[in-house]
Amino acid sequence: MEDARISDLRARIDTLNLDLLRLLSERAEVAEAIGRVQSEVGLSHYDPVREQRMLDALTDANRGPFTDTVVKSLFKQIFQASMQLEEQQDKVKYLTSRHSQSADTVVTVGDVPIGSQYAPVLIAGPCAIESREQVEAVASLLAERGVRLFRGGAFKPRTDPYSFSGLGEEGLRIGREACDRHGLQFVSEIMDASNIAAFEEYVDVLQVGARNMQNFTLLRAVGRSRKPVVLKRGLSATIEEWVMAAEYLMAEGNDQVILCERGIRTFERYTRNTLDVSAVALAKLETHLPVIADVTHSGGRRDLLVPLTKSALAVGADGIMIEVHPNPAVALSDNKQQIDFEAFDRYLAATLYDTKLTAKRTELYGF
Ligand code: PEP
Ligand code: MN
């Protein structure tokens, strides 16, 4: 039998616990409200001066029985918990974030699932669509090899304004016809929001190129489309900037977003760009979106295609993009790095990239 005095006192403690919980929750809600305003105006959640003032006010008011040190350490715990809440709140608002969606997004192009546990996809084709014959040659080879996604640019972003910049809408038509003939899904780069209607008509996947990663008007227009999107990482974009660009797409309602690491500009000159494999892994950790790697534009070297592919797949890439051309020597763009059909077959053999595989990636790679 418990002493009646203890039971009474314990009952008071129980009530006080509930009062404290109510006050703590109320305090947390106010802290969240402050956090929202801080995020809105771009202020940091952590304000050491304010924190010190609150601790001073508490120790001034403290009449015991807890010592000032104990009061401070109790309240520091409360401050820290509030801060975590504010930070969590920041992340949850981003649609791309793992905090808002823990399950992997699977983007389905036609009947091809990309992401999560599915076997890595291969997106192959010429840098630019140059002619009906060229596209037919590549598309028929790819289809024969079991590739499901064909890439080819009709609107090409070029450094030199006098160089070949694509066949435009006619290129899209050529690509569409070849893809229909061979049961392929068509991926092509959109450079300008004004072309969205044509892309809606001819293309299965809208590609936003590296140079346009922060073209916010284009991102919003593509975000309003319901076509899947491949979003390339900008030439010098941080992972955060890249993910925020994806956020633009998702904020407009397009949740079919595939991130594509395509190499970033560094001091290195042996390669055209530096494939950032850590970005592939990080993008998969931080976001729930599928992440692929473009091994052609990243290294800019044919002799790196196999090792870069293997490294990207090893860190969890959900697919690879590669450029294939019937006769790269005469290609109208990127003629130094596209590969011909024989090299493509060697590439498939060397990377063990069996495009006909339907096995889940976990069965293929053990992770
Ligand atoms: C492309 O894939 O054709 C291309 C131009 O790539 P990026 O935007 O990555 O340079
Ligand atoms: Mn190219």
Side-chain angles (χ1 to χ4, degrees), residues 126-128 151 156 272 294 296-297 323 333-334 337-338:
C127 182
R151 62 142 291 144
K156 296 297 301 176
R272 179 171 166 182
D294 172 343
T296 296
H297 294 98
E323 287 185 350
S333 57
D334 282 351
Q337 51 205 267
Q338 303 199 59

Side-chain angles (χ1 to χ4, degrees), residues 144-263:
E144 242 171 63
R145 299 294 182 267
V147 175
R148 308 296 314 280
L149 278 82
F150 172 91
R151 62 142 291 144
F155 294 85
K156 296 297 301 176
R158 302 304 302 276
T159 301
D160 178 346
Y162 307 117
S163 57
F164 176 68
S165 60
L167 298 179
E169 203 167 323
E170 175 60 9
L172 292 183
R173 267 193 293 274
I174 293 174
R176 174 77 272 155
E177 284 165 20
C179 285
D180 284 346
R181 267 197 302 281
H182 297 285
L184 295 163
Q185 305 294 327
F186 184 24
V187 184
S188 199
E189 175 170 353
I190 177 162
M191 284 178 56
D192 195 299
S194 66
N195 292 328
I196 198 89
F199 276 79
E200 290 276 355
E201 185 177 349
Y202 297 117
V203 166
D204 299 304
V205 180
L206 306 169
Q207 178 173 316
V208 174
R211 288 154 195 82
N212 266 315
M213 190 205 80
Q214 283 194 319
N215 178 339
F216 300 116
T217 314
L218 177 64
L219 291 174
R220 287 211 189 274
V222 169
R224 285 192 291 275
S225 166
R226 289 300 170 262
K227 298 260 187 197
V229 186
V230 165
L231 176 65
K232 296 267 196 119
R233 180 177 179 188
L235 276 70
S236 300
T238 64
I239 296 171
E240 190 181 5
E241 287 163 342
W242 183 31
V243 171
M244 283 299 160
E247 190 68 30
Y248 265 84
L249 299 169
M250 291 198 73
E252 292 295 331
N254 194 331
D255 57 5
Q256 298 289 289
V257 180
I258 301 166
L259 295 168
C260 179
E261 159 64 33
R262 46 80 71 204

